[in-house]
């Protein structure tokens, strides 16, 4: 057993960046005032929250500022899931006569399971499929979006394969029918450039723990002018759009993380992509019968979904774990279930390959040496598992 950890599960969650952690520290024992309080002690915290709001807005290209310079299009939430739910809920409330939601078959459960719940409350939900590379069926999308559609929800980048959807085109289709467009950018934010105005986004979700800030904080971009009905009612926090005392330290952290992500976006994109591409090239050269899943031309830079035919992903994970290598067999939320992930099924990945799929997801803290180590350990692991696999025997 190795004591060293090689963490390649950054789409599940990331380490809090040291600079981000430092930025949080004062808000526990020194600046612990309630941002809603009238006194100066709370007021200064409220001002810091507004600064964090601007930092988030900047990463997303949300340029609007109110007369006080505040980025009021950003609302802080508790996580990406809440942001997704709140966006869809608000779109439905803003267009109450429309009863249809159009989304994709490969969304995160934060969207899919909420839509499923809404289907029990009288809404029609249409799921748009993808091709074998994970590309969205745009013709089917065009057909599905109509005058009864309140919202189209399509993710920016897929958490399992990294496939990037053409959000600007999707938003045009939604808007042409008078529907709102929501995008789940939880995996994309901080990894690829986002410009909510250029993409024509009405709602956009992000989550702190995917970009080196803590778990339990997220944000929702809401285009100015949209009538917003909250998901959570309570106090007047977040300009009446999200009740509940702010998770101040985490909000400050999310702001700082967005600032850092914005500054190193281009360089980080290049380094992650190179590490990922070199890693995949090594695997393809050394292991027979594997496939890389996703749109290889248009993927998030640090995500690699690899199918190893005729073996179980869980067994691979267990043997990687012996060397301290952490990866995932699909999305974090489906780990534990032996069904191949809904994303791979939607892509039509054959069962024999889908079952043996591992997602490696990188961050700025990984090194080429770590990936070389993993690429060296994998071929004997795969060979050993295939030796004892009845499927391999049958399908050789
Ligand atoms: N959306 C996507 C694409 C995700 O990958 C995740 C988390 O894995 C979420 C939403 C949910 O975010 P959170 O864990 O902050 O609720």
């Amino acid at each position: 057993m190795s004591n060293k950890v090689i963490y390649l599960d950054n789409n599940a969650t990331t380490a809090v960046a040291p600079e981000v952690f430092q930025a949080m520290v004062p808000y526990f024992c020194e600046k612990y005032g309630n941002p809603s309080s009238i006194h100066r002690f709370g007021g200064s915290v409220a001002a810091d929250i507004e600064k964090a709001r601007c930092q988030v807005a900047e990463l997303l290209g949300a340029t609007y500022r109110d007369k006080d310079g505040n980025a009021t299009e950003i609302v802080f939430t508790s996580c990406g899931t809440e942001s997704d739910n709140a966006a869809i809920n608000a779109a439905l409330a803003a267009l109450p006569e429309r009863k249809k939601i159009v989304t994709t078959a490969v969304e995160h459960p934060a969207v899919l399971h909420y839509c499923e719940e809404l289907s029990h409350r009288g809404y029609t939900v249409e799921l748009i499929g993808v091709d074998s590379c994970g590309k969205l069926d745009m013709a089917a999308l065009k057909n599905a979006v109509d005058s009864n559609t309140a919202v189209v929800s399509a993710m920016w980048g897929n958490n399992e394969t990294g496939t990037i959807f053409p959000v600007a085109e999707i938003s045009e289709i939604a808007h042409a029918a008078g529907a709102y467009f929501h995008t789940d950018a939880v995996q994309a934010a901080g990894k690829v450039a986002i410009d909510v105005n250029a993409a024509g986004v009405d709602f956009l979700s992000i989550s702190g723990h995917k970009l080196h800030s803590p778990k339990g904080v997220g944000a929702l971009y809401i285009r100015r002018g949209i009538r917003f009905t909250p998901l959570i009612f309570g106090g007047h926090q977040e300009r009446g759009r999200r009740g509940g005392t702010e998770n101040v330290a985490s909000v400050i952290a999310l702001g700082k993380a967005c600032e850092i992500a914005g500054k190193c976006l281009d360089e980080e994109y290049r380094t992650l992509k190179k590490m990922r591409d070199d890693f995949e090239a090594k695997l393809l050269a050394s292991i027979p019968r594997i496939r890389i899943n996703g749109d290889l031309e248009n993927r998030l830079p640090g995500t690699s979904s690899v199918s190893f035919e005729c073996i179980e992903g869980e067994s691979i994970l267990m043997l990687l774990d012996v060397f301290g290598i952490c990866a995932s067999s699909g999305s974090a939320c489906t780990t534990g279930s032996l069904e191949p992930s809904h994303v791979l099924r939607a892509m039509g990945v054959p069962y024999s390959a889908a079952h043996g799929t591992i997602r490696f997801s990188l961050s700025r803290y990984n090194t080429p040496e770590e990936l070389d180590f993993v690429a060296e350990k994998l071929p004997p692991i795969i060979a050993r598992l295939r030796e004892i696999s009845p499927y391999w025997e049958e399908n050789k």
Side-chain angles (χ1 to χ4, degrees), residues 11 79-81 84 108 110 155 159 184 186-187 207 209-210:
N11 285 13
C79 58
T81 302
D84 285 344
H108 189 271
M155 67 207 316
N159 45 305
D184 174 337
V186 163
Q187 294 292 347
S207 169
H209 72 110
K210 311 288 185 179

Side-chain angles (χ1 to χ4, degrees), residues 94-389:
L95 293 171
E97 65 293 348
R98 295 182 176 220
K99 299 292 176 203
K100 185 167 166 185
I101 304 161
V102 176
T103 184
T104 86
V106 296
E107 294 300 305
H108 189 271
V111 167
L112 284 179
H113 289 170
Y114 186 51
C115 288
E116 191 187 331
E117 167 59 23
L118 290 167
S119 75
H120 302 306
R121 297 191 208 163
Y123 290 95
T124 302
V125 178
E126 197 153 337
L127 299 184
I128 307 302
V130 295
D131 69 9
S132 60
C133 300
K135 286 191 205 171
L136 194 62
D137 183 342
M138 296 298 282
L141 179 80
K142 255 190 213 144
N143 264 337
V145 179
D146 58 17
S147 58
N148 190 33
T149 307
V151 59
V152 175
S153 180
M155 67 207 316
W156 197 298
N158 188 273
N159 45 305
E160 292 191 36
T161 64
T163 299
I164 293 175
F165 278 163
V167 278
E169 279 173 57
I170 301 171
S171 100
E172 253 179 52
I173 294 169
H175 290 159
Y180 287 115
F181 175 55
H182 163 247
T183 185
D184 174 337
V186 163
Q187 294 292 347
K191 295 187 195 130
V192 290
I194 287 182
D195 183 331
V196 283
N197 294 318
V201 167
D202 298 310
F203 301 94
L204 179 145
S205 310
I206 68 167
S207 169
H209 72 110
K210 311 288 185 179
L211 74 160
H212 303 294
S213 59
K215 297 154 189 65
V217 67
L220 177 63
Y221 161 83
I222 306 159
R223 177 171 298 285
R224 180 170 64 110
I226 295 178
R227 187 161 54 86
F228 184 79
T229 302
L231 186 68
I232 297 179
F233 287 87
H236 294 294
Q237 293 90 354
E238 296 297 287
R239 298 176 172 83
R241 292 179 294 179
R242 202 269 181 186
T245 302
E246 295 86 345
N247 179 357
V248 177
S250 293
V251 161
I252 301 297
L254 180 54
K256 185 74 186 166
C258 287
E259 182 194 278
I260 297 170
K263 277 188 190 146
C264 36
L265 195 73
D266 294 342
E267 196 192 327
E268 213 165 287
Y269 180 93
R270 281 193 297 274
T271 27
L272 290 185
K273 182 176 183 305
K274 175 153 177 29
M275 271 198 288
R276 192 266 321 267
D277 291 350
D278 289 351
F279 173 67
E280 288 181 346
K282 283 191 181 126
L283 297 191
L284 286 165
S286 61
I287 307 174
R289 299 197 33 198
I290 65 173
R291 55 176 276 169
I292 313 290
N293 301 305
D295 181 354
L296 303 190
E297 306 302 312
N298 201 13
R299 267 188 302 167
L300 298 174
T303 302
S304 177
S305 167
V306 188
S307 294
F308 302 89
E309 279 182 34
C310 301
I311 43 178
E312 288 289 343
E314 279 64 25
S315 317
I316 305 172
L317 286 183
M318 275 158 58
L319 294 182
L320 287 173
D321 190 52
V322 173
F323 298 105
I325 300 164
C326 310
S328 156
S329 66
S331 84
C333 307
T334 54
T335 300
S337 122
L338 282 180
E339 266 294 285
S341 84
H342 68 286
V343 175
L344 299 172
R345 274 184 283 146
M347 289 166 64
V349 178
Y351 264 65
S352 62
H355 271 294
T357 300
I358 302 291
R359 179 188 68 186
F360 303 95
S361 47
L362 284 52
S363 83
R364 69 174 72 125
Y365 299 120
N366 290 120
T367 63
E369 291 71 32
E370 285 182 323
L371 286 146
D372 285 348
F373 180 79
V374 181
E376 185 192 306
K377 293 297 171 206
L378 264 170
I381 289 177
I382 303 303
R384 186 175 145 199
L385 290 172
R386 281 177 174 166
E387 246 167 55
I388 55 170
S389 158

